[in-house]
Amino acid sequence: MRDAGFPVRDIRQILDSWRNTDVATTLIRERRRAILGDIEAAEAQLRALDPPDLRVNADPVPVTRTVFPAMDVISLREVLPDYNHEHHL
């Protein structure tokens, strides 16, 4: 029973009512349902770990390569408390 994942409480209940097979049958059915639910949840987690197939699931994005002439660039950098302060720059 422990190998099947039954808690001690359920094992005790089965042993206390060994003449009543309905108790064992009910607990076994519930345990089987719980295990199947755990399997479904684990399979969903495994699917979430699969890398997405970008070629199938995404529309192709057009890529354009452009060459700009050389130019001087100035950059201003400051840490802002949040996105709403961006206009201060």
Side-chain angles (χ1 to χ4, degrees), residues 29-45 47:
R29 188 176 298 125
E30 289 173 1
R31 183 66 193 133
R32 182 178 300 274
R33 208 172 329 189
I35 291 170
L36 290 172
D38 292 344
I39 290 171
E40 286 179 26
E43 286 174 343
Q45 291 174 341
R47 283 190 302 276

Side-chain angles (χ1 to χ4, degrees), residues 18-69:
W18 64 272
R19 290 184 188 194
N20 183 356
T21 58
D22 291 341
V23 172
T25 301
T26 300
L27 290 173
I28 289 170
R29 188 176 298 125
E30 289 173 1
R31 183 66 193 133
R32 182 178 300 274
R33 208 172 329 189
I35 291 170
L36 290 172
D38 292 344
I39 290 171
E40 286 179 26
E43 286 174 343
Q45 291 174 341
L46 286 172
R47 283 190 302 276
L49 293 174
D50 289 340
D53 188 355
L54 299 176
R55 292 167 296 178
V56 174
N57 296 330
D59 293 331
V61 177
V63 176
T64 304
R65 183 175 179 171
T66 305
V67 178
F68 292 99

